[in-house]
Amino acid sequence: MTSMGNNREGNLSTWHALPAEKVLEDLDSSTRGLTTDEVTGRKQQYGPNRLPAPPRPSRLIQFLNQFNNVLIYVLLCAAVVTALLADWVDAIVIIGVVLINAVIGFIQEGKAEKAVDAIRKILSYEAIVFRDGEKVSIQVEDLVPGDVVFLNSGDKVPADLRLFQSKDLRIEEALLTGESVPADKSIEPANIEAALGDRSCMAFSGTMVSFGQGRGVVVATGESTELGKVSAMLAGVETLKTRLTQRMDEFSKWLTGAILILAIGTTFFGLALRDYSFTELFFAGVALAVAAIPEGLPAIITITLALGVQRMARKKAIIRRLPAVETLGSVTVICSDKTGTLTRNEMTVTTILRADRTYTVDGVGYQPVGSFHVEGNMLEAKKDHLLLELARAGLQCNDGSISEKDGSWSVQGDPTDGALITLALKAGLDSQKCNEALPRIDVIPFESEHKFMATLHQDSSGKNVVYLKGAPERVLDMCVKERHKDSDKPINLTYWQEQIEAIASQGQRTLAVATISIDDKETISIEDVKSGMILLGLFGIIDPPRDEAVAAVQNCLGAGIKVKMITGDHALTATSIGEQIGLDVSTKAITGQELEAMDDDQMEFIAKKANIFARVSPEHKLRLVTALQANGQITAMTGDGINDAPALKRADVGVAMGMNGTEAAKEAAEMVLADDNFASIVHAVEEGRTVYDNIRKTLAFILPTNGAQAGIIIASVMMGIALPITPLQILWVNMITAVTLGLSLAFEPPEGDVMTRAPLSPKEPLLNQFLSWRIIFISAIMVMGTLGLFLWDRYHGETLEMARTTAVNTLIFFQIFYLFNARYLKESVLSRKGLFGNPAILMAVTGITLLQLFFTYAPFFQNVFGTAAIPFGDWIRLIGFTFTVFVLVETEKMIMRHLDKKRLSE
């Protein structure tokens, strides 16, 4: 017996290329299925028809991973040694801060990855099979290769099947192939290199039967199916670290190295040149580590991202993983599926072609609102009897229906049938009245073998008429005449072929409609219509682009973000839609077959150059995203189907559709669009850029305080004086300013140029040259000011506790005034909007002022932190002195703006 689950060459299984008889023979099966004994043996060989669950870390491991950061290691080591030296208060506070950050990270990490589980759940249903010569219903997990499965309209295909019987069988494969209409199925073998969407003799696991009946033999189950291949790819896809995570990791390693060097250098300096004991120097080293490490920064970044998530949710963009918010702001290319994402996923007749007239039709989707135009002039459809005849033929040779619910129109049945019904209603026809006036008495259902559907109708006088619709190449062969306004004339095949090519070049699917009168017939057969038909005309049908998607694509291009369409649909259709939404289509669409022949270097080149990729498989989508990332692009991938899941997971930001998307796509994605609207991505990108701006402002605000505190410790050791601030007081400053002042910057609104500047370069570090300068500049001001006031108090005989209290309050009020500067990195804040435009800042300043009064005067705080009350006159001197930072930074900004203008002019 052939190895069913592994009969593959490269990316192609060969079952679709073999005759059905040969497949049954190779599988040791027959059209009557398997026996119970055969099934038992095959279950042992191939296992159940389900996908294996991937191993996942326990919740404990996930929590412990929160401590996997070099900065945390430094703090924990400091806490342990501090505890060994019996300084329990400092040790407990340091450990408490570390635990608080770990808990926040654990909670905010979000749900565990469930994409593979979501795919596995798709297989939890029953199938009808032949067992021991009888039709029985079994759990799909019990299917084995060689089983014969029955398919009916509405069924979900339970395994990969090679069809050997098909009756009007059409299967909705959009979730796997990206096709916007159901695929017609036949039993004839396909080319061995045929793409997934062109294997018409195959039915794939997880797809849905939309029409007709069929039978097939199981050729692959579980992880060997095409669905299983997607799941296996998904399980094996590496989830990339976000740019923020990477930058924070780099920053943490850099900062840790700097802290260790400074601590060791300070210790050696104190031992060699100053009269300090080792214990004193160790506590100075702990103070230096605690001072330099921004303990509150992880929490404030997490909260900033969470606030971005809330704002995005109000704009219909649901974020599943926090760091994706920042990554959205850095996106340089969006890879989008076509069907249902850029388009409406609603087939629409846009062109009607008669022998002597061409119409264009307004309106999109299944809402029956629109008008008809000829050469740009609107006409009244009711006065054009030939147009009405065409519309009536499409309406009555039809098995679908459309309905309206809560203002939204949808189709029941085939989408093409829905498009024809909508057209008839636009023309003013009434479906019920038409069916009453000309009731159907017989039908030839659509079958892929003959590629048409025909219906026989009889009016009240007994006159019979046949309406027929189908593939133009088939219908034209059946017609001898074409209908004109005055009479029927011999058909001009050359004219019609040219028109079909012209319509197809616009990405429209063509459908031909014909008629013939048949007297004294109660039934019809293929023989009755295979010749002598009269061609009424052609319909050009398209899945139109969303209006809002067109505007969104243009906004993306204006923001320096490239948009690439990656779809399973045909190249002509994809190119036409791409042109309509404003993509550059000067480079021809690249097909999956062409991608298959490319190596990685060629793929990287073409991924950068082309904007349209058609007839692609899940493997191709994954390779394209990987190739773009290899080019240094930060990619977002949009999609709704199972076929999109691996690429969604691999992309820097996976964007799934919330309304029509599969659970597999949603679980693989970082972001879900609640309204399936591509335009929501633009809002998300804007919010992402705002969040990243606010994180940079937060860094520019918090890090100078850490630098100043570290500088104060180093300076005090070098000067041989007592520490102006203790480790515990440093932790107070770091955490309380982060929670109040630093957090207020998370509420900053977007700046005016946020969607006109180019995306942030992936190579730009978290701390660029400008931010590094700003941090050093502010740190120096704070070191000199804080140390100066501390020495002033000590010189004038104040106690060490009071001088330290003055030093802490000096640091805090330096931060309060600098907070207003930090609202704009380079622009001046000397305006009403600049000073009062963020209410959160005013609330934070009020809050921290009250906290500092407690810190200074409340006995509990004095006992814990070693503070002392300071007289009122000292506050006046302190506030007046710290206000200088505001003046100095605004002056520095003015100089920076002048230098920027000078560079631009040069």
Side-chain angles (χ1 to χ4, degrees):
M1 181 165 61
T2 304
S3 178
M4 279 66 79
N6 298 299
N7 185 15
R8 299 184 183 279
E9 293 291 337
N11 291 324
L12 299 172
S13 65
T14 59
W15 297 114
H16 62 278
L18 300 175
E21 297 79 10
K22 174 64 174 171
V23 173
L24 288 167
E25 180 185 336
D26 287 351
L27 293 170
D28 286 347
S29 185
S30 71
T31 57
R32 301 291 291 174
L34 302 173
T35 65
T36 302
D37 290 340
E38 288 173 322
V39 169
T40 302
R42 297 188 191 206
K43 274 187 180 178
Q44 294 176 352
Q45 182 178 359
Y46 300 106
N49 179 31
R50 61 170 178 258
L51 304 178
R56 289 212 175 106
S58 66
R59 297 293 280 169
L60 176 61
I61 296 298
Q62 289 176 11
F63 178 71
L64 293 177
N65 283 338
Q66 306 303 317
F67 299 93
N68 188 20
N69 183 294
V70 288
L71 291 176
I72 299 299
Y73 299 157
V74 173
L75 282 178
L76 289 175
C77 289
V80 170
V81 180
T82 303
L84 291 175
L85 294 174
D87 191 347
W88 298 108
V89 174
D90 283 14
I92 290 170
V93 172
I94 294 173
I95 291 174
V97 169
V98 171
L99 285 174
I100 289 170
N101 283 324
V103 169
I104 291 174
F106 180 66
I107 293 173
Q108 295 287 7
E109 195 174 64
K111 297 177 182 178
E113 301 269 346
K114 296 178 182 177
V116 176
D117 286 346
I119 293 179
R120 289 173 65 233
K121 290 176 183 176
I122 292 175
L123 291 177
S124 58
Y125 50 93
E126 293 189 342
I128 299 175
V129 301
F130 256 139
R131 288 277 175 88
D132 298 317
E134 296 183 0
K135 287 174 69 173
V136 294
S137 179
I138 64 169
Q139 290 291 317
V140 295
E141 287 85 353
D142 295 330
L143 282 173
V144 295
D147 262 325
V148 169
V149 177
F150 291 80
L151 296 177
N152 292 287
S153 181
D155 287 350
K156 191 174 288 183
V157 180
D160 282 2
L161 310 178
R162 171 58 167 93
L163 300 171
F164 60 79
Q165 186 179 93
S166 174
K167 176 72 173 176
D168 310 330
L169 186 63
R170 276 173 268 174
I171 297 180
E172 174 59 65
E173 296 180 340
L175 298 181
L176 198 60
T177 67
E179 285 278 10
S180 54
V181 295
D184 297 322
K185 294 299 178 179
S186 68
I187 62 173
E188 297 303 318
N191 188 294
I192 193 169
E193 295 184 353
L196 212 61
D198 295 327
R199 300 179 194 178
S200 58
C201 62
M202 297 292 294
F204 298 111
S205 178
T207 59
M208 186 72 71
V209 179
S210 63
F211 192 81
Q213 300 174 336
R215 284 191 218 176
V217 60
V218 175
V219 296
T221 58
E223 59 185 337
S224 297
T225 62
E226 294 297 332
L227 182 64
K229 286 172 61 182
V230 175
S231 179
M233 279 194 297
L234 193 56
V237 171
E238 177 187 359
T239 303
L240 294 182
K241 284 188 173 183
T242 68
R243 303 292 166 177
L244 179 61
T245 307
Q246 291 173 344
R247 289 178 178 127
M248 286 302 295
D249 286 347
E250 292 166 3
F251 171 70
S252 298
K253 291 173 183 176
W254 175 85
L255 185 57
T256 301
I259 290 168
L260 292 176
I261 291 170
L262 287 172
I264 293 170
T266 303
T267 302
F268 276 112
F269 182 89
L271 287 172
L273 302 176
R274 294 289 182 267
D275 189 20
Y276 286 110
S277 68
F278 180 78
T279 302
E280 288 176 318
L281 286 171
F282 173 76
F283 277 110
V286 170
L288 179 59
V290 173
I293 294 175
E295 296 89 352
L297 187 59
I300 197 168
I301 288 179
T302 299
I303 293 168
T304 302
L305 294 172
L307 289 171
V309 167
Q310 294 173 12
R311 290 193 291 263
M312 287 186 183
R314 289 195 287 269
K315 296 179 180 178
K316 307 298 184 182
I318 311 301
I319 299 295
R320 297 186 63 253
R321 297 179 184 90
L322 279 183
V325 177
E326 175 271 337
T327 310
L328 270 166
S330 305
V331 162
T332 59
V333 59
I334 298 175
C335 301
S336 176
D337 189 27
K338 176 185 70 68
T339 304
T341 308
L342 292 169
T343 65
R344 299 172 62 93
N345 199 20
E346 297 176 347
M347 303 304 291
T348 306
V349 177
T350 57
T351 305
I352 304 174
L353 194 68
R354 279 179 23 206
D356 52 4
R357 178 172 271 191
T358 300
Y359 306 84
T360 57
V361 188
D362 287 342
V364 292
Y366 301 122
Q367 184 177 9
V369 176
S371 56
F372 297 81
H373 300 261
V374 175
E375 296 180 350
N377 300 313
M378 190 169 71
L379 61 82
E380 190 174 345
K382 291 182 179 181
K383 295 182 179 180
D384 190 325
H385 71 278
L386 291 185
L387 172 61
L388 288 179
E389 185 178 19
L390 247 175
R392 185 181 296 109
L395 174 66
Q396 298 205 254
C397 186
N398 198 306
D399 285 328
S401 63
I402 61 172
S403 61
E404 183 266 341
K405 183 179 180 181
D406 298 328
S408 177
W409 289 81
S410 60
V411 62
Q412 292 76 50
D414 188 276
T416 300
D417 282 349
L420 298 182
I421 295 170
T422 303
L423 175 77
L425 297 183
K426 288 178 182 178
L429 296 177
D430 184 296
S431 179
Q432 185 176 348
K433 289 181 179 179
C434 286
N435 289 327
E436 289 174 355
L438 208 60
R440 180 193 297 185
I441 58 175
D442 198 17
V443 61
I444 301 175
F446 182 92
E447 289 189 24
S448 54
E449 286 79 6
H450 56 244
K451 296 183 179 179
F452 69 81
M453 172 185 179
T455 53
L456 176 63
H457 303 265
Q458 188 176 73
D459 65 15
S460 57
S461 64
K463 182 180 178 182
N464 293 346
V465 63
V466 172
Y467 290 133
L468 180 146
K469 68 178 183 189
E473 64 274 13
R474 180 71 177 95
V475 176
L476 289 177
D477 286 343
M478 302 162 68
C479 294
V480 294
K481 292 185 177 181
E482 59 188 31
R483 183 142 296 175
H484 287 254
K485 185 176 182 180
D486 300 322
S487 62
D488 297 334
K489 299 179 181 179
I491 192 166
N492 183 349
L493 292 176
T494 302
Y495 166 79
W496 290 108
Q497 292 292 352
E498 290 173 352
Q499 296 304 315
I500 290 170
E501 290 177 8
I503 293 176
S505 69
Q506 300 171 28
Q508 299 181 37
R509 302 172 187 270
T510 52
L511 187 73
V513 180
T515 187
I516 191 172
S517 296
I518 302 178
D519 294 330
D520 303 324
K521 282 269 191 177
E522 296 297 325
T523 61
I524 54 169
S525 65
I526 293 178
E527 289 295 320
D528 294 324
V529 296
K530 71 177 183 179
S531 62
M533 300 291 293
I534 301 167
L535 185 66
L536 294 178
L538 295 177
F539 293 125
I541 304 173
I542 197 167
D543 179 13
R546 295 173 177 263
D547 292 338
E548 58 272 30
V550 176
V553 167
Q554 295 311 305
N555 286 337
C556 286
L557 297 176
I561 301 169
K562 299 174 184 176
V563 179
K564 296 181 183 293
M565 183 193 297
I566 303 177
T567 177
D569 214 336
H570 294 278
L572 274 177
T573 304
T575 301
S576 175
I577 294 295
E579 191 170 15
Q580 290 179 52
I581 63 175
L583 295 184
D584 181 1
V585 296
S586 57
T587 300
K588 78 175 188 69
I590 306 298
T591 65
Q593 197 166 359
E594 291 171 310
L595 292 175
E596 193 71 41
M598 294 181 185
D599 59 26
D600 289 344
D601 289 339
Q602 292 171 318
M603 181 76 82
E604 288 178 22
F605 174 77
I606 204 66
K608 185 176 181 180
K609 186 177 180 182
N611 290 326
I612 308 289
F613 299 89
R615 306 303 280 171
V616 295
S617 68
E619 295 96 327
H620 300 145
K621 292 188 177 188
L622 185 56
R623 283 188 69 199
L624 281 167
V625 171
T626 305
L628 286 165
Q629 290 171 333
N631 281 327
Q633 302 293 328
I634 301 177
T635 61
M637 168 74 187
T638 71
D640 55 5
I642 294 169
N643 62 318
D644 297 321
L648 287 174
K649 185 178 179 183
R650 171 69 195 193
D652 297 276
V653 181
V655 184
M657 301 299 112
M659 295 173 66
N660 295 319
T662 60
E663 285 303 310
K666 294 174 190 175
E667 294 296 336
E670 282 77 22
M671 183 171 83
V672 179
L673 300 182
D675 57 357
D676 285 13
N677 194 336
F678 186 85
S680 297
I681 297 175
V682 179
H683 299 308
V685 169
E686 180 180 1
E687 190 58 50
R689 292 187 174 191
T690 301
V691 165
Y692 189 75
D693 281 353
N694 291 349
I695 289 174
R696 292 182 72 209
K697 292 173 184 177
T698 301
L699 289 172
F701 173 73
I702 289 179
L703 294 183
T705 304
N706 296 103
Q709 291 171 147
I712 291 168
I713 302 299
I714 294 169
S716 65
V717 171
M718 289 183 173
M719 295 169 67
I721 62 174
L723 295 181
I725 43 178
T726 66
L728 206 55
Q729 290 170 347
I730 290 169
L731 279 174
W732 166 266
V733 173
N734 286 355
M735 291 305 293
I736 208 66
T737 55
V739 170
T740 54
L741 302 182
L743 182 58
S744 65
L745 290 172
F747 294 88
E748 279 293 302
E751 295 187 24
D753 65 341
V754 71
M755 283 302 285
T756 56
R757 63 174 96 128
L760 187 70
S761 170
K763 298 179 181 178
E764 183 171 345
L766 193 60
L767 292 181
N768 57 20
Q769 189 176 15
F770 168 71
L771 280 183
S772 300
W773 150 252
R774 175 64 63 79
I775 290 167
I776 293 170
F777 177 57
I778 303 301
S779 297
I781 295 173
M782 290 184 176
V783 168
M784 291 186 289
T786 304
L787 201 56
L789 286 182
F790 174 80
L791 293 173
W792 172 279
D793 278 1
R794 294 296 285 161
Y795 178 77
H796 287 85
E798 301 290 359
T799 64
L800 181 60
E801 288 76 13
M802 184 176 290
R804 282 175 170 169
T805 305
T806 299
V808 171
N809 280 301
T810 300
L811 266 177
I812 294 292
F813 276 86
F814 266 135
Q815 286 186 296
I816 287 175
F817 288 116
Y818 175 53
L819 178 64
F820 289 93
N821 299 119
R823 287 201 62 206
Y824 305 143
L825 289 177
K826 288 189 177 181
E827 295 300 317
S828 173
V829 295
L830 295 175
S831 65
R832 181 181 179 85
K833 182 179 179 182
L835 295 174
F836 305 106
N838 184 351
I841 285 180
L842 303 178
M843 293 172 62
V845 168
T846 303
I848 199 168
T849 302
L850 292 173
L851 285 171
Q852 282 310 112
L853 291 175
F854 281 111
F855 177 83
T856 305
Y857 296 107
F860 172 78
F861 285 90
Q862 289 177 342
N863 292 332
V864 173
F865 291 99
T867 59
I870 58 177
F872 178 75
D874 287 8
W875 282 107
I876 297 173
R877 181 177 68 247
L878 186 153
I879 292 173
F881 193 73
T882 53
F883 179 72
T884 57
V885 73
F886 181 85
V887 177
L888 289 171
V889 174
E890 286 302 304
T891 304
E892 179 249 9
K893 285 185 184 180
M894 184 173 64
I895 295 170
M896 284 287 185
R897 292 195 301 272
H898 174 73
L899 292 175
D900 286 344
K901 288 180 181 178
K902 188 175 180 181
R903 277 195 295 268
L904 287 173
S905 64
E906 291 174 354

